[in-house]
Amino acid sequence: MGRFLLRRLLLALVTLWLASSLVFAFLLFLPGDPVQAILGLEASPEARAALERALGLDRPPGKRYLRWLAGLMRLDLGESIRYARPVASLVGERLALSLALVLLGLGGALLFALPLALWAARFPPVDLALSGLMAFLQSVPTFFLGVVLLYAFAVHLPLLPASGFPGWQDPLAALRHLLLPALTLALARAAVLFRMARGSLLEVLSQDYIRTARAKGVPEGWVLLKHALRPASLPVVTLLGLEGGFLLTGAVVVEAVFALPGLGGLALTALEARDYPLLQGLVLVMAALIVLFNLAVDLLYGLLDPRVEYA
């Protein structure tokens, strides 16, 4: 187990280094000029040159990259061009909200997908209806789903707040503001998890040991929960690692719909302002979260399937 964790951590470091290097290279070809975005079109050449020196943009790309890597070794993500503040501070202020939104969305997707998959596997007549409903949800754009839920539960039935975030001082108020965005993410990804769980359950239910349990008179509900759900959940757990990444990117759209001050809004602002240090820091943090999601999935495998060995 220890050797496995060490290998995965080393692989995670290599992955983060590759992600940061690719982002740095792509940003060099991104159209736009951060100096012009700050000073405007009428700025004098002297003012432009002074700001370029202050921001370090007058150095060759290779030197800027090495300087950024040296900062990473000290856990320093640099300073934002747009906000003139440390990138780590900006990201840290908004990370908790985005991470809470992703975890709520992922948990909600599981709460929707697994019971419905069990219901579809136990009652074939409702299988077709549930499969059609999930296919419809999968085809609906996330932003449209968010607008529909916002109108239904914040405008037509004013049960939940429509937008904004009050902060974490009042946890209950914060949760109320996150419920609609999390529900949007959960419904958008529940369809994918449902189809995977349903297919896996139907495959497991065709195995010989399931037929043996039924022949012994074991109740059908107990067969599903005790004998089928655990082995059928392995492909779903595999999919969870990918869904964590999808939810992180999907949260950008959802945060825009519900006006949440998370990483998504910060990324859009950084992109508009050509804030290269902030963009690099955001991509690095998101890549780190995706790596952590996948590491957690690998560890869950051992809990769900005793046959899995960590060499």
Side-chain angles (χ1 to χ4, degrees), residues 11-65:
L11 181 60
L13 291 176
V14 173
T15 302
L16 293 177
W17 171 72
L18 288 174
S20 63
S21 301
L22 288 174
V23 171
F24 187 90
F26 288 150
L27 288 179
L28 294 177
F29 301 100
L30 189 69
D33 183 2
V35 174
Q36 179 177 306
I38 295 173
L39 296 179
L41 296 174
E42 305 299 326
S44 64
E46 294 79 10
R48 288 179 55 86
L51 185 57
E52 285 179 354
R53 285 193 301 272
L55 298 177
L57 298 177
D58 59 330
R59 301 184 180 93
K63 289 186 177 180
R64 299 208 314 258
Y65 176 67

Side-chain angles (χ1 to χ4, degrees), residues 209-246:
Y209 72 92
I210 296 294
R211 286 193 288 268
T212 301
R214 286 170 170 166
K216 289 181 177 180
V218 178
E220 186 65 19
W222 189 251
V223 169
L224 284 171
L225 295 176
K226 176 68 176 178
H227 300 287
L229 183 59
R230 186 170 179 175
S233 62
L234 290 177
V236 179
V237 170
T238 303
L239 188 60
L240 285 180
L242 299 175
E243 288 302 303
F246 281 122

Side-chain angles (χ1 to χ4, degrees), residues 45-262:
E46 294 79 10
R48 288 179 55 86
L51 185 57
E52 285 179 354
R53 285 193 301 272
L55 298 177
L57 298 177
D58 59 330
R59 301 184 180 93
K63 289 186 177 180
R64 299 208 314 258
Y65 176 67
L66 291 176
R67 184 184 181 190
W68 187 63
L69 280 182
L72 286 182
M73 301 299 178
R74 306 188 302 270
L75 301 179
D76 180 10
L77 298 178
E79 186 170 298
S80 166
I81 296 174
R82 169 70 173 78
Y83 295 96
R85 290 179 53 195
V87 171
S89 173
L90 288 169
V91 173
E93 290 174 357
R94 307 196 181 202
L95 179 60
L97 189 149
S98 293
L99 192 56
L101 181 59
V102 169
L103 293 177
L104 285 173
L106 199 58
L110 281 173
L111 288 177
F112 280 116
L114 288 182
L116 291 179
L118 286 168
W119 194 23
R122 183 174 182 182
F123 302 105
V126 302
D127 186 11
L128 183 61
L130 287 176
S131 297
L133 175 62
M134 291 301 167
F136 171 75
L137 283 177
Q138 193 172 359
S139 65
V140 175
T142 305
F143 75 90
F144 180 76
L145 184 60
V147 171
V148 171
L149 291 175
L150 191 152
Y151 176 78
F153 295 104
V155 178
H156 185 65
L157 297 173
L159 301 175
L160 294 170
S163 62
F165 187 71
W168 297 104
Q169 296 82 5
D170 186 349
L172 289 179
L175 181 61
R176 291 187 72 248
H177 281 78
L178 289 178
L179 279 180
L180 272 183
L183 181 61
T184 303
L185 288 176
L187 290 177
R189 306 316 303 174
V192 181
L193 293 174
F194 167 83
R195 295 181 68 179
M196 176 63 75
R198 170 190 169 276
S200 182
L201 276 169
L202 292 177
E203 182 180 353
V204 170
L205 289 173
S206 66
Q207 300 297 316
D208 291 338
Y209 72 92
I210 296 294
R211 286 193 288 268
T212 301
R214 286 170 170 166
K216 289 181 177 180
V218 178
E220 186 65 19
W222 189 251
V223 169
L224 284 171
L225 295 176
K226 176 68 176 178
H227 300 287
L229 183 59
R230 186 170 179 175
S233 62
L234 290 177
V236 179
V237 170
T238 303
L239 188 60
L240 285 180
L242 299 175
E243 288 302 303
F246 281 122
L247 286 174
L248 275 174
T249 55
V252 175
V253 178
V254 172
E255 287 174 6
V257 172
F258 291 94
L260 294 175

Side-chain angles (χ1 to χ4, degrees), residues 1-5 7-8 295-311:
M1 184 68 170
R3 292 176 59 189
F4 169 78
L5 285 175
R7 284 204 310 271
R8 287 308 306 264
L295 180 60
V297 164
D298 289 339
L299 296 177
L300 277 176
Y301 254 86
L303 297 177
L304 294 173
D305 191 350
R307 296 171 297 177
V308 175
E309 295 184 0
Y310 298 111

Side-chain angles (χ1 to χ4, degrees), residues 272-284:
E272 292 174 357
R274 302 300 185 266
D275 193 338
Y276 300 147
L278 184 53
L279 278 174
Q280 291 166 191
L282 284 169
V283 171
L284 191 65

